[in-house]
């Protein structure tokens, strides 16, 4: 059973930065895509960023373009989300997810992913 553990969340002032990490263990099938999603109170889970199995193809939600960067270290089975210029609107629980896939295009819908982490809270104060 694959397990995903997120870390790196916390409280930061507007304009600040955070780097989230998601370490995968117990994986038996590869290659796989990885994605980040977030969910704010009272809102649906939304796509943030995704990266394909090789790390050469990435996608971002419009809200994060130019501010967020997703990248992965396959040797460590870890995906990262570097978030810069944070605003209070970025406050949410951030989740990572994986999907066994050799496609060059990573999925961007929550239902396409197989495994999920427990989430890490990101709070941006104004």
């Amino acid at each position: 059973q694959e397990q995903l553990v997120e870390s790196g969340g916390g409280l930061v002032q507007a304009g600040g930065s955070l780097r989230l990490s998601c370490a995968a263990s117990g994986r038996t099938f590869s290659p796989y895509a990885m994605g980040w999603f977030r969910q704010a109170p009272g809102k649906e889970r939304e796509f943030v960023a995704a990266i394909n199995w090789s790390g050469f193809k990435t996608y971002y939600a419009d809200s994060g373009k130019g501010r967020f960067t997703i990248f992965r270290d396959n040797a460590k089975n870890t995906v990262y989300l570097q978030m810069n210029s944070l605003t209070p609107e970025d406050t949410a629980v951030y989740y990572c997810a994986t999907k066994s896939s050799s496609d060059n295009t990573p999925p961007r819908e929550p239902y396409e992913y197989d495994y999920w982490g427990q989430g890490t809270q990101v709070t941006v104060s104004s």
Side-chain angles (χ1 to χ4, degrees):
Q1 182 79 15
E2 179 165 335
Q3 291 186 327
L4 303 176
V5 178
E6 300 102 334
S7 61
L11 174 64
V12 64
Q13 289 187 332
S17 299
L18 283 174
R19 177 177 291 186
L20 306 183
S21 301
C22 173
S25 62
R27 164 158 284 274
T28 57
F29 298 103
S30 62
Y32 59 100
M34 303 184 82
W36 285 98
F37 294 79
R38 67 187 184 186
Q39 188 165 17
K43 295 187 177 181
E44 294 186 353
R45 190 168 297 189
E46 65 175 5
F47 170 74
V48 175
I51 189 166
N52 77 334
W53 63 276
S54 68
F56 289 115
K57 190 70 172 179
T58 58
Y59 280 102
Y60 297 93
D62 288 343
S63 59
K65 286 180 180 178
R67 301 187 301 127
F68 295 176
T69 302
I70 185 172
F71 57 101
R72 64 190 294 168
D73 183 341
N74 284 342
K76 297 181 178 179
N77 287 334
T78 300
V79 66
Y80 304 90
L81 184 68
Q82 177 67 41
M83 304 187 294
N84 300 327
S85 302
L86 287 162
T87 73
E89 288 68 37
D90 295 315
T91 295
V93 177
Y94 283 71
Y95 299 89
C96 69
T98 62
K99 172 182 171 59
S100 295
S101 172
S102 59
D103 293 344
N104 285 327
T105 302
R108 282 166 281 183
E109 297 293 339
Y111 70 83
E112 297 181 273
Y113 284 83
D114 304 317
Y115 296 98
W116 292 82
Q118 293 300 307
T120 184
Q121 176 70 47
V122 171
T123 303
V124 184
S125 63
S126 58

